[in-house]
């Protein structure tokens, strides 16, 4: 149900250009669903987008990745964030809004 609501929210917010409101929520939702790598990649995308908007919040990544287990090393997280930073908006949102375990 949460995933369906997130998809609806994305469509509605995107119409107004406000989809960035979901930057913190979507990676946490993906992590809660066991989709840890997509969650961290999305954080990388969000960090890049926030940087372009002039938002420098050092605590954002830690908060957004809260549901990702400690088993993901910092090296792996950095690699995944870098991969996410290279994604387009459509690719990033599709990644965290996809079905799957």
């Amino acid at each position: 149900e949460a995933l369906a609501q997130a998809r609806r929210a994305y469509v509605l917010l995107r119409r107004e250009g406000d989809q960035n409101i979901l930057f913190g929520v979507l990676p946490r939702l993906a992590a809660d669903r066991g989709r840890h790598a997509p969650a961290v990649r999305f954080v990388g995308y969000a960090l890049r987008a926030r940087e372009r908007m002039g938002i420098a919040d050092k605590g954002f990544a830690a908060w957004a990745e809260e549901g990702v287990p400690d088993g993901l090393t910092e090296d792996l997280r950095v690699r995944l964030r870098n991969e996410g930073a290279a994604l387009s908006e459509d690719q990033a949102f599709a990644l965290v809004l996809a079905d799957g375990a």
Side-chain angles (χ1 to χ4, degrees):
E1 182 62 28
L3 181 59
Q5 292 296 330
R7 286 181 181 137
R8 278 185 233 131
Y10 174 63
V11 169
L12 294 173
L13 289 166
R14 189 172 186 189
R15 288 182 193 160
E16 302 298 323
D18 293 332
Q19 63 273 24
N20 300 349
I21 292 170
L22 299 171
F23 279 177
V25 175
L26 292 180
R28 292 174 70 125
L29 177 62
D32 287 348
R33 295 172 44 234
R35 303 191 72 238
H36 304 128
V40 177
R41 282 187 184 102
F42 187 83
V43 169
Y45 164 80
L47 286 169
R48 182 178 53 96
R50 290 167 58 96
E51 182 180 302
R52 279 190 268 150
M53 292 184 282
I55 302 170
D57 179 1
K58 296 183 191 253
F60 171 76
W63 181 83
E65 293 178 11
E66 190 172 284
V68 177
D70 292 336
L72 251 64
T73 65
E74 187 58 28
D75 287 344
L76 179 55
R77 287 176 193 253
V78 168
R79 184 176 62 79
L80 292 170
R81 284 186 208 127
N82 287 338
E83 289 173 8
L87 297 174
S88 69
E89 177 182 308
D90 289 338
Q91 290 171 322
F93 278 91
L95 194 63
V96 290
L97 293 173
D99 286 323

